[in-house]
Amino acid sequence: MALVLRATPVTFVVHVLAVVCAVMVLVWCSSFRGGLAWEAPNKSLIFNIHPVLMLIGLIIIGGEGIISYKALPLKKEVKKVIHLVFHAVALILGIVGIWAAFKFHNESSIPNLYSLHSWLGIGIIVLYGAQPAIGFLEKLTFLEMGGLDKYGSEAYLVNFTAIATILYGTFVLLTVYAKNDQEVVDHGYSAVDSYYAIPY
């Protein structure tokens, strides 16, 4: 006897948990942390925007976008639009949430990107934002409506080409951001280094 799990009842639990989590983070930031503000003498109020938007925006609204296909008894085309809108709103709120953290750090003279949490957060937002581009590339390949075998060699080749193209673009951007070899000058040396230095 197999257990059949239906999506609709589970989505009710998801929605209740989403409301509970949203209320809890708002109560925490307003009652225990002093509230939310984009401009304030108390810079912690600026930072409080970060956890609120990351939870409500990226996690909850993004989660709603994920389950919209299963939760809504609508036509596929309508579900696609709802899915897209939820993810776009989640991405925008996630970006504003990260911007709030940067704003707090800059106005409080705290270095940015000093923790693993910071770097993982940036990576997650970048990957989350890259999803529409990856989906668009998949649509360009006509794999969904071209009658190709989803697991055939052509499908794998086209999908790995798209991944390689995205990696290429990423490394182009990293190269542009990096310093030239001539710009990297090491002014720190020791007596041992200068003793063993080979003249050119």
Side-chain angles (χ1 to χ4, degrees):
M1 181 173 134
L3 175 68
V4 177
L5 186 63
R6 302 214 179 267
T8 304
V10 176
T11 58
F12 291 127
V13 176
V14 170
H15 298 315
V16 168
L17 288 173
V19 170
V20 168
C21 292
V23 168
M24 288 171 70
V25 75
L26 287 169
V27 167
W28 173 56
C29 286
S30 62
S31 296
F32 293 92
R33 308 261 313 151
L36 308 167
W38 191 253
E39 295 289 337
N42 179 359
K43 302 304 178 194
S44 294
L45 301 181
I46 297 170
F47 182 78
N48 290 348
I49 295 170
H50 175 73
V52 169
L53 291 185
M54 299 317 286
L55 178 64
I56 293 175
L58 193 65
I59 296 172
I60 293 175
I61 294 177
E64 292 293 331
I66 292 169
I67 68 170
S68 64
Y69 276 106
K70 296 276 188 173
L72 301 173
L74 302 170
K75 292 184 178 179
K76 184 177 181 181
E77 294 78 24
V78 176
K79 287 194 237 184
K80 277 186 171 184
V81 171
I82 292 169
H83 175 79
L84 176 68
V85 168
F86 271 129
H87 281 301
V89 170
L91 179 61
I92 290 166
L93 292 177
I95 290 169
V96 173
I98 287 181
W99 187 8
F102 274 94
K103 181 174 171 46
F104 164 73
H105 285 185
N106 292 338
E107 292 184 13
S108 301
S109 300
I110 298 171
N112 289 309
L113 302 173
Y114 63 88
S115 68
L116 180 61
H117 173 88
S118 304
W119 285 102
L120 287 175
I122 294 291
I124 288 166
I125 284 289
V126 167
L127 290 173
Y128 198 89
Q131 284 183 19
I134 294 168
F136 180 70
L137 286 173
E138 184 180 22
K139 300 295 183 233
L140 286 179
T141 65
F142 303 107
L143 289 177
E144 288 192 355
M145 51 189 156
L148 293 176
D149 179 17
K150 282 187 174 184
Y151 302 104
S153 58
E154 184 180 2
Y156 281 120
L157 175 65
V158 170
N159 282 308
F160 281 109
T161 302
I163 291 169
T165 303
I166 290 167
L167 288 173
Y168 170 77
T170 301
F171 280 93
V172 166
L173 291 173
L174 288 173
T175 303
V176 169
Y177 178 73
K179 294 186 181 291
N180 288 344
D181 293 337
Q182 294 83 12
E183 293 175 329
V184 178
V185 178
D186 185 14
H187 295 292
Y189 63 94
S190 66
V192 175
D193 291 332
S194 60
Y195 178 77
Y196 288 107
I198 301 170
Y200 291 108

